[in-house]
Amino acid sequence: MTRTPVSEQELIDTFLPVILENDAKGILQDLLGNPSLALHFMAFDETDTRKAIRHVQGILEECYRAGHLKVAMSHEDGRLYGYALLFEHPDPSIPRYCHKIFVFKQYRGHGIGTQLLQALTLDARGSCLLCSNELIPFYESVGLEVKSTYTAPSAQQGFAFTSELYTGLTIMGSPSAGSFAPVFMLNDQDIKQLMVLGAG
C-alpha cells in the first residue's frame, strides 16, 4: 500500500492547534511579567488559565484564517521540531513581522531555530523582529540589521496594558526590510476580555 504524500498546508493544519496553544501560553507568561497585570493573572486557577489560553489561541487562529498570520515549520516524519509565526501586512512593501521562533525543548541545540531564522531573511519581502539589546549581536550574525528603536503604541491608542512589555526593544530586519513592522500585540480590549475570564 502506498501512502499519499501530505501537503505542507495539511501539515500546518495538523500542527496548528499545538503551535497556537504554545504561543498563547507564551503570551500569557509575558503578561505575568507586567507588574500591573501580574497580580490579576496570578490569581487564575487552572480552569481560568485554560480559558485564557483558548481565548488567545482563538485570536491567533482568527489572524491565521484571515491570512494575516503565516506559519513556517521544521518537521520530519510527523514530528514538529519548531516553528516561526509571521504577521503580514496587506501592503507588500511592508516587511513581515516575525512574532516568534520557537524550537521544542527536546530538539534544541541542533541549529533548527537558526535555520528557521535564516530562511526568513532570504524572503524577498523582508522580515523584521523585535529583540532586546543583548540579542542584537546574535541577530546580526544571521544577517539581520538594526533598523530602529521600537516605539510601542500608547495607552491613547488602546495599548495601556501591553505597551510596557515592548519598551527598550530594537527592530531588527533583513537588509531589504524597512524600519516599520506590523507587530502583534494584545490590545486593551483583549486584556479586559481575559480579565473577565478569570472573574467568573
Side-chain angles (χ1 to χ4, degrees):
M1 175 192 259
T2 58
R3 281 183 9 189
T4 306
V6 178
S7 72
E8 189 70 12
Q9 186 57 55
E10 288 172 314
L11 280 170
I12 289 173
D13 289 343
T14 298
F15 291 128
L16 191 66
V18 170
I19 290 170
L20 297 186
E21 179 180 3
N22 189 62
D23 197 56
K25 288 176 181 176
I27 289 170
L28 290 174
Q29 191 64 43
D30 290 344
L31 294 176
L32 278 169
N34 181 331
S36 64
L37 296 173
L39 288 176
H40 182 81
F41 288 114
M42 283 173 51
F44 274 29
D45 63 18
E46 189 175 328
T47 301
D48 298 333
T49 301
R50 289 297 320 151
K51 285 185 205 173
I53 290 167
R54 281 194 304 271
H55 183 76
V56 175
Q57 194 174 350
I59 293 169
L60 293 167
E61 186 167 353
E62 187 178 320
C63 292
Y64 176 77
R65 300 291 173 211
H68 304 301
L69 175 61
K70 306 293 183 190
V71 178
M73 300 183 311
S74 175
H75 60 86
E76 186 178 49
D77 298 329
R79 286 189 306 258
L80 178 64
Y81 299 140
Y83 61 87
L85 295 179
L86 302 145
F87 281 88
E88 291 188 359
H89 193 278
D91 181 346
S93 69
I94 295 174
R96 301 174 307 167
Y97 169 63
C98 181
H99 169 68
K100 167 101 36 114
I101 292 180
F102 183 86
V103 177
F104 289 96
K105 189 174 183 178
Q106 63 269 37
Y107 304 118
R108 292 177 188 164
H110 300 286
I112 294 168
T114 301
Q115 289 173 351
L116 283 165
L117 184 57
Q118 287 173 334
L120 301 180
T121 63
L122 298 175
D123 187 275
R125 181 173 181 165
S127 300
C128 290
L129 55 81
L130 296 179
C131 77
S132 57
N133 288 337
E134 60 268 15
L135 290 175
I136 289 174
F138 167 74
Y139 287 115
E140 287 178 331
S141 75
V142 293
L144 299 183
E145 303 171 346
V146 172
K147 296 297 181 175
S148 66
T149 300
Y150 181 65
T151 303
S154 66
Q156 292 78 16
Q157 294 169 300
F159 292 89
F161 291 117
T162 52
S163 62
E164 287 178 37
L165 298 173
Y166 295 84
T167 57
L169 298 179
T170 298
I171 298 178
M172 302 291 295
S174 51
S176 62
S179 61
F180 171 79
V183 174
F184 172 80
M185 294 171 59
L186 294 180
N187 61 34
D188 291 347
Q189 183 178 347
D190 296 325
I191 300 297
K192 287 174 183 173
Q193 288 174 337
L194 287 172
M195 289 177 174
V196 168
L197 292 173

